[in-house]
């Protein structure tokens, strides 16, 4: 399996707090723990040529992990189209935190993907609501994060195909924090936590979820549909 | 309730077969039977200014019915954006037949919406698979159409929120023919039949489904979510 | 529309706190506000003959509202069978609060319907997560209840067909508080609030939800499927 | 992984046609091809003590495959309860063909699970409608069976969590042929084909689906929820 972790990588360059927490960038931190599972992992960032997502790279990518926040608009539409097509062809996509507002996620969802938010050190508790789902493997009944950015409902997404986590926030809100979707041959997993000013991606349980998510969205050799004008498989009576 | 029936209205101008079947246009035929239910119905077509879908018109529209086929690309993107926003605000949308490839449906679905097709006078039988759904009110167990264009799986759509009809085709294919989706505050109903060279929209059962669909997608005074930065509703402990 | 509000009606007889809050019983309180909508409402309780749910009564019932708690086991299996069959035939069912553990709900769900709970005056906030749904008509973004019993995840139910409310609880839990299901021709709405020691059913917003729920589950003249051995509709080739 | 293939094993004893096709029983045929995947497979049948499904056996079973037809009623309720509990605890369940009417499937679904049927050598074509699903791995766009029993809609089941196959039948019907459900920690896959008088379980593509299904429903170390009275995780304000 070939995984690419994509990161905007801008906060890391301008905000010393973020740079301190993630000296190798958020992409670096995520790539590091994914490698523990003997998965082939590379990274790609916004400021690389073609944002690091050339045709060549994407063709060989089984799963793309996406983190973005302040520069969604700088992602070129042609690259978004390219990623979109690869998802429909079967490439898995893990969408993290503020990437709810990424062009690729909005395009796949068909909605605004808007939500409520607050940066106030809310405690967050993510409850497992589907304990049959492989993405919850190795977890307890909930994950607790001492401090995180709050995301609150209404989250303007289509009803998830599968709802896996629900978040409780100290300030009084709830959020559908873990959700899966199927689009074309591709599988998508949205997972909420991971604001840049908190060390969330070092949390072992969060890492477990992301590892499980990568595994769950990874493609299999499923049938490739054909489209367009087709001959009848059975005799049609003249009328 | 204010309904607008939108039609591309091109086949009617260029193909005498279609003009013969639908002398008032497909939009006219649909508007006529909707009016039987004492619904306020107007029509709009591609070649009108702003395709007949001005800000003013859309603001007052509760339900938009959409038929298009050969000129999807001529629908201006800014009008598509306008319709999209209105759906998310709660305007109902009924998408008919070849409008599976309309810009607005593809934008709402996030997939290619591609399918198999054949113009060969297939018999079609639409089976009700959700007999609890109000859209099936007044129907029997299936609707039979002597001749229709075939649409076959795989239909590249997200898994429907509700699957209501499945079509059997004489030539050997099946199709998810009636499906609903929720996007933002809006409800969407896709219904398959209605190729321009057949008198499908004069079929009483097909009319019943479209009437029921219009009623089902119509908006109610449901809450309008607010988004963005919010204050905490509960005290947050300093950490 | 004919509605029957069913209540166990035991707490009211033995607990003066409950009797004080609901002098006409929980069923009386619910029936009273439903009548405001000019709906025909009667009540039925556990200690009546056949629990008040004779064949005759059920045959004429469009929607059954169910509240039970400490005496689920005293509901006779043959009456549960009768209600079950009527739901599959199209009778709507609104399941309230502790009726999550009723025989009829467990039979319809196929799971234990177990959950976490606590009687500790938790504040509850029910967030709307599907603002397109008619059950949310007339509401704001959330409903706040100063004091309620807590119900927490994991709630052992099948993934809802539609998830409408999520509850936040002061003590740190979340809960899928409003959920719909389709079973046979019947529609089911589960709604969480309503512990017997709180005046929850006098809350106007809670009343709005229950009124909307009753309306939403009410039956329409949808097709009645036939089952069993059938003749072919098309010629089958001899093989 | 430990798989148990359960079969009623009655047709094999009384109908020479079936005995000819399945000399080792339907369970034997299924066990044989599952073993190709180096899975530990045993079998169990109705006429064994406790139907071969002792507490001991079930405790060690990861996936149970179920085939039954004429003797559903002879399966003891206490064994059904036992299987039900194991499914909720996480044991996977693959339900084949006429087992749609088994006690265990009906109990898990909460509906009659009734359908239309015909034994008339219909051709069946199973179309893949979810090409993202691992259960379709290794397949083409459809599976064709020259002769099978027909099952037709309406199939009285809850809306599937995931719909994977739709069948076309020569005689004019359609059917939701491959469907998944989650109940408690358990995953369930219903797959239609396999009437006892046809050699369906020797078909390589059908075998692929069942192998994939067994793999897909197999349990993982997901969290085991706790239920009942719980202490608050956060401070609750006195009111």
């Amino acid at each position: 399996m070939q995984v690419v972790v994509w990161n905007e990588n801008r906060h890391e360059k301008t905000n010393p707090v973020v740079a301190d927490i993630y000296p190798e960038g958020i992409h670096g931190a995520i790539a590091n723990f994914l490698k523990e599972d003997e998965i082939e992992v590379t990274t790609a960032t916004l400021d690389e040529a073609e944002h690091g997502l050339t045709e060549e790279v994407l063709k060989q990518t089984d799963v793309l992990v996406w983190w973005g926040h302040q520069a969604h608009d700088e992602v070129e539409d042609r690259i978004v189209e390219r990623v979109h097509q690869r998802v429909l062809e079967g490439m898995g996509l893990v969408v993290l935190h503020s990437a709810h507002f990424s062009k690729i996620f909005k395009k796949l969802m068909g909605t605004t993907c808007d939500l409520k938010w607050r940066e106030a050190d809310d405690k967050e508790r993510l409850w497992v609501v589907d304990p049959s789902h492989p993405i919850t493997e190795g977890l307890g009944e909930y994950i607790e994060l001492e401090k995180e950015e709050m995301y609150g409902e209404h989250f303007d997404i289509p009803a998830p195909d599968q709802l896996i986590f629900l978040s409780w926030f100290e300030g009084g809100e709830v959020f559908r924090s873990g959700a899966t979707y199927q689009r074309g041959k591709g599988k998508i997993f949205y997972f909420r936590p991971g604001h840049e000013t908190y060390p969330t991606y070092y949390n072992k349980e969060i890492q477990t979820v992301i590892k499980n998510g990568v595994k769950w969205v990874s493609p299999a050799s499923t049938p490739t549909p054909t489209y367009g004008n087709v001959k009848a498989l059975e005799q049609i009576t003249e009328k």
Side-chain angles (χ1 to χ4, degrees), chain A:
Chain A
M1 179 161 44
Q2 180 65 50
V3 178
V4 174
V5 180
W6 191 91
N7 182 19
E8 193 180 275
N9 197 29
R10 288 283 176 84
H11 293 296
E12 291 90 335
K13 293 176 180 169
T14 56
N15 184 340
V17 174
V18 180
D20 261 15
I21 300 175
Y22 293 113
E24 297 178 64
I26 287 175
H27 52 294
I30 294 174
N32 282 342
F33 71 75
L34 288 177
K35 283 174 190 163
E36 294 167 7
D37 273 9
E38 323 226 340
I39 297 167
E40 287 292 308
V41 188
T42 60
T43 62
T45 55
L46 181 63
D47 294 329
E48 296 173 44
E50 304 190 39
H51 313 321
L53 300 173
T54 60
E55 288 280 7
E56 204 51 35
V57 164
L58 279 177
K59 201 187 302 175
Q60 294 164 19
T61 303
D62 294 305
V63 176
L64 181 63
V65 179
W66 195 278
W67 198 101
H69 184 210
Q70 62 178 19
H72 294 311
D73 283 350
E74 294 182 42
V75 178
E76 287 180 49
D77 287 342
R78 68 188 181 106
I79 307 297
V80 175
E81 286 298 328
R82 194 183 278 170
V83 173
H84 185 248
Q85 184 172 333
R86 280 291 295 136
V87 170
L88 299 183
E89 286 170 10
M91 183 183 72
L93 184 69
V94 175
V95 177
L96 294 175
H97 189 60
S98 43
H100 72 92
F101 252 178
S102 62
K103 286 182 177 177
I104 182 63
F105 190 59
K106 291 196 290 185
K107 187 174 178 69
L108 284 159
M109 295 296 105
T111 55
T112 66
C113 301
D114 213 341
L115 47 77
K116 291 183 174 64
W117 57 272
R118 177 176 58 242
E119 296 187 51
D121 290 354
D122 277 75
K123 185 191 286 187
E124 176 177 12
R125 188 176 290 114
L126 297 104
W127 288 92
V128 171
V129 296
D130 183 354
S132 75
H133 204 288
I135 284 180
T136 68
E137 188 165 359
L139 300 179
E141 291 196 71
Y142 59 83
I143 300 171
E144 203 171 295
L145 299 172
E146 196 203 355
K147 297 191 280 188
E148 250 290 353
E149 184 181 12
M150 186 282 298
Y151 277 8
E153 296 281 346
H154 177 245
F155 185 16
D156 185 27
I157 47 171
D161 291 348
Q162 299 171 319
L163 180 63
I164 305 178
F165 297 102
L166 288 181
S167 281
W168 176 96
F169 286 99
E170 194 180 356
E173 292 86 0
V174 295
F175 196 73
R176 288 171 289 172
S177 279
T180 74
Y181 294 94
Q182 161 275 340
R183 293 292 182 268
K185 290 182 62 175
K187 294 200 283 297
I188 301 159
F189 174 48
Y190 175 79
F191 189 49
R192 199 212 77 83
H195 191 60
E196 67 272 9
T197 59
Y198 301 111
T200 300
Y201 294 123
Y202 296 110
N203 178 297
K204 288 294 172 196
E205 290 169 302
I206 296 298
Q207 292 180 357
T208 295
V209 173
I210 296 172
K211 285 175 180 181
N212 290 344
V214 163
K215 207 166 132 192
W216 187 83
V217 301
S218 68
S221 306
T222 55
T224 299
T226 58
Y227 299 110
N229 198 350
V230 293
K231 289 222 167 63
L233 298 161
E234 306 291 327
Q235 182 72 32
I236 294 172
T237 314
E238 206 154 327
K239 298 177 187 85

